[in-house]
Amino acid sequence: MKKSTTPYLWGPEADFLVIGSGIAGLRAAIELSQHGHVLIITKGSRRQSNSMYAQGGVAVALSEEDDVNLHFEDTIKAGHQLGREDAARALVEEGPSRIQELIAWGTQFDKVDGKYAFAKEGAHSRDRVLRAQGDATGHEMIRVLLERARTQKNIQWFDHHFTMDLLVVDGHCCGAIVVNEATGHLQVLPARAVIMTTGGAGQVYARTTNPPNATGDGFAMAYRAGAILEDMEFVQFHPTSLYLQSSPPFLLSEAMRGEGGLLRNRKGELFMLGYHPAAELAPRDIVARAIWSEMSASRSRHVYLDVTHLGSAFIKKRFPTIYQTCLRADIDITEEWIPVSPSAHYFMGGIKAGIDGQTTLPGLLVAGEAACNGVHGANRLASNSLLEGLVFGVRAAKSATTFSPTISPKDSQRIVSQLDSGPRQSLEDAEKLRNSLRRLMWAQVGLVRTGDSLIRALAKISAWEPQVEGFFQTRSDLEVKNMLQVARCITEAALWRENSLGAHYREDFPGTKGSAWKVHSQIQCPESDRRQPLQHLKIV
Ligand code: SIN
């Protein structure tokens, strides 16, 4: 272990900190800028959010044939009735005006014959999914939100700053501790309230559609600060990501099946009707497990997605990003079947939240994938996540304004003197641990789990944990530490839930509804383990 020490800088002070720059974070920051000074903190660049990669679109009940009640029913049904009805109501009822607002700000959703084009996706009873530039919806929505945020004079950016931990004083979250990725300087950023919008943790799995930054930092730091995490066993595996032996998975939007794409097994046979009457458009958890079964039965690493019958011109116009990406991998999807397999995609669980983003830690609000407000239940309905970011980003922002400052600059010396200050440590081989963990989670805590596989995973995680005890200050080391903590939470929750529901499938408990199925797993860091030297500091 190499050792050195670094002092902390204090400030800049802000009214509100927003950690993360995806859809939820940007929308929250724009709302908050009407109420005070906002600091948006992002690791890496502000353009690297998970939302940026969203292809298929955003579900919203805006077409003439649609109705918010239908969207509500589809959301609850896809979530296997585990979802919270008040959260789902808020989503579908406030969604249309959030989208209209985004259109007014300049978002260009695709139109056909002058009218917005609503696409079909799995488990939707209506064509309901708006898209932009065919398959670049997240990119377009982020473009507009970034531009809007840029013009708000109350918003300041801290790009390339990694949030190490939340600052908790006297039981209130009142800021964050960050490390400048370029200089290594540590900074304490005080605020009235913090909004966590750090997204999910797909990178905990060897195969994921998520970009490299989805390492679950928000889950881990909220956990360390004592906030409750809920439903962590519910990890959505997207059925169709491009399978190439030597490249990371690439998302192949559900919209491809919505447009008529077909799934074929290694023998070329269609198989989905054998699993669900809605075939390729069954809910995601069902399609992903059906693919898994076919792969297991044929001892194959993938099945195929066939869109060749849709026609070359249509495919190139409707899925330009996917077409070009596959072509670079030497697959012409207008002529060839695409090798696909499931990949970790989205966390239904997360930091336990009410419908206004309030967590169990006063002063900490949460929105987007980092939150578990219960809207998705046990399985998220396709294309509900961008809408969730908008609706609950605004809701969390409104709640944040109700908090008053709990610390002031006169407390700075006292606070800083009690924070960890070296010796600074670095992991011997962060990359090796990261990769081993990802493989472990894929093999033992993936799409299909058993009590034995989960116990094996926990034993490995326990054996690795001593390596991440200490005061780490580089992004890479801190990410691995966070990933390991998140992996433990997922695995413990998955072991606790002795039934199969939605995205959580236990081979040893295949029945969906045993006794007390409609319960939620909750995990909270024991008080003695919280990395919160200030937890009991009283500010007078
Ligand atoms: C997709 O386009 O299939 C992904 C969108 C989503 O996860 O809802």
Side-chain angles (χ1 to χ4, degrees), residues 54-57 121 236 238 251-255 257 284 345-346 380-385:
Q55 295 176 354
E121 285 190 6
Q236 182 168 76
H238 196 287
L251 177 67
L252 296 173
S253 176
E254 179 140 350
R257 280 174 283 127
R284 255 182 209 175
H345 183 60
Y346 188 89
R380 175 172 63 81
L381 182 66
S383 289
N384 261 357
S385 56

Side-chain angles (χ1 to χ4, degrees), residues 346-425:
Y346 188 89
F347 278 66
M348 275 71 72
I351 305 166
K352 178 177 164 52
I355 59 168
D356 293 316
Q358 64 279 36
T359 69
T360 55
L361 178 62
L364 177 66
L365 294 307
V366 63
E369 191 177 351
C372 179
N373 53 33
V375 71
H376 305 305
N379 173 57
R380 175 172 63 81
L381 182 66
S383 289
N384 261 357
S385 56
L386 296 177
L387 195 68
E388 189 213 341
L390 292 174
V391 167
F392 291 96
V394 170
R395 283 181 157 257
K398 287 185 173 151
S399 320
T401 63
T402 63
F403 288 91
S404 310
T406 48
I407 54 172
S408 71
K410 70 177 170 38
D411 306 310
S412 61
Q413 280 309 318
R414 200 148 56 103
I415 289 174
V416 165
S417 69
Q418 293 184 55
L419 291 173
D420 280 354
S421 60
R424 194 198 267 220
Q425 295 170 333

Side-chain angles (χ1 to χ4, degrees), residues 209-485:
T209 59
N210 294 183
N213 51 349
T215 51
D217 308 314
F219 299 148
M221 69 180 106
Y223 174 77
R224 285 193 295 271
I228 292 178
L229 304 188
E230 191 166 73
D231 289 350
M232 290 298 283
E233 66 273 35
F234 295 110
V235 179
Q236 182 168 76
F237 292 83
H238 196 287
T240 55
S241 65
L242 179 63
Y243 178 83
L244 296 172
Q245 208 150 11
S246 50
S247 309
F250 170 74
L251 177 67
L252 296 173
S253 176
E254 179 140 350
M256 298 179 91
R257 280 174 283 127
E259 295 290 359
L262 297 168
L263 289 165
R264 297 181 183 277
N265 62 19
R266 278 306 279 270
K267 293 186 198 149
E269 298 159 342
L270 300 174
F271 58 85
M272 269 315 302
L273 261 180
Y275 292 89
H276 194 277
E280 274 76 5
L281 292 181
R284 255 182 209 175
D285 53 327
I286 291 166
V287 181
R289 271 197 302 279
I291 291 175
W292 191 261
S293 292
E294 294 293 316
M295 284 164 49
S296 306
S298 60
R299 296 177 161 273
S300 160
R301 290 179 185 274
H302 62 81
V303 295
Y304 294 103
L305 177 61
D306 173 10
V307 291
T308 54
H309 52 287
L310 301 183
S312 173
F314 174 80
I315 291 171
K316 289 179 188 167
K317 182 158 190 288
R318 178 71 177 83
F319 302 111
T321 315
I322 294 173
Y323 170 72
Q324 287 298 339
T325 306
C326 291
L327 205 56
R328 281 198 291 278
D330 210 20
I331 301 168
D332 182 345
I333 67 171
T334 65
E335 294 178 354
E336 296 165 69
W337 298 349
I338 318 165
V340 294
S341 83
S343 287
H345 183 60
Y346 188 89
F347 278 66
M348 275 71 72
I351 305 166
K352 178 177 164 52
I355 59 168
D356 293 316
Q358 64 279 36
T359 69
T360 55
L361 178 62
L364 177 66
L365 294 307
V366 63
E369 191 177 351
C372 179
N373 53 33
V375 71
H376 305 305
N379 173 57
R380 175 172 63 81
L381 182 66
S383 289
N384 261 357
S385 56
L386 296 177
L387 195 68
E388 189 213 341
L390 292 174
V391 167
F392 291 96
V394 170
R395 283 181 157 257
K398 287 185 173 151
S399 320
T401 63
T402 63
F403 288 91
S404 310
T406 48
I407 54 172
S408 71
K410 70 177 170 38
D411 306 310
S412 61
Q413 280 309 318
R414 200 148 56 103
I415 289 174
V416 165
S417 69
Q418 293 184 55
L419 291 173
D420 280 354
S421 60
R424 194 198 267 220
Q425 295 170 333
S426 60
L427 278 171
E428 287 299 338
D429 195 343
E431 269 326 286
K432 185 165 186 297
L433 183 51
R434 184 187 292 249
N435 290 333
S436 303
L437 175 66
R438 298 182 69 208
R439 282 198 301 272
L440 175 80
M441 291 299 285
W442 182 252
Q444 312 288 358
V445 196
L447 208 74
V448 174
R449 301 139 179 201
T450 67
D452 286 347
S453 76
L454 296 168
I455 287 166
R456 272 196 300 277
L458 279 177
K460 272 279 189 201
I461 290 168
S462 301
W464 287 328
E465 276 167 346
Q467 291 185 50
V468 300
E469 275 164 22
F471 187 42
F472 301 98
Q473 292 168 48
T474 65
R475 171 172 169 177
S476 164
D477 288 356
L478 289 160
E479 282 182 344
V480 173
K481 179 180 173 140
N482 289 340
M483 288 165 72
L484 201 57
Q485 249 161 4

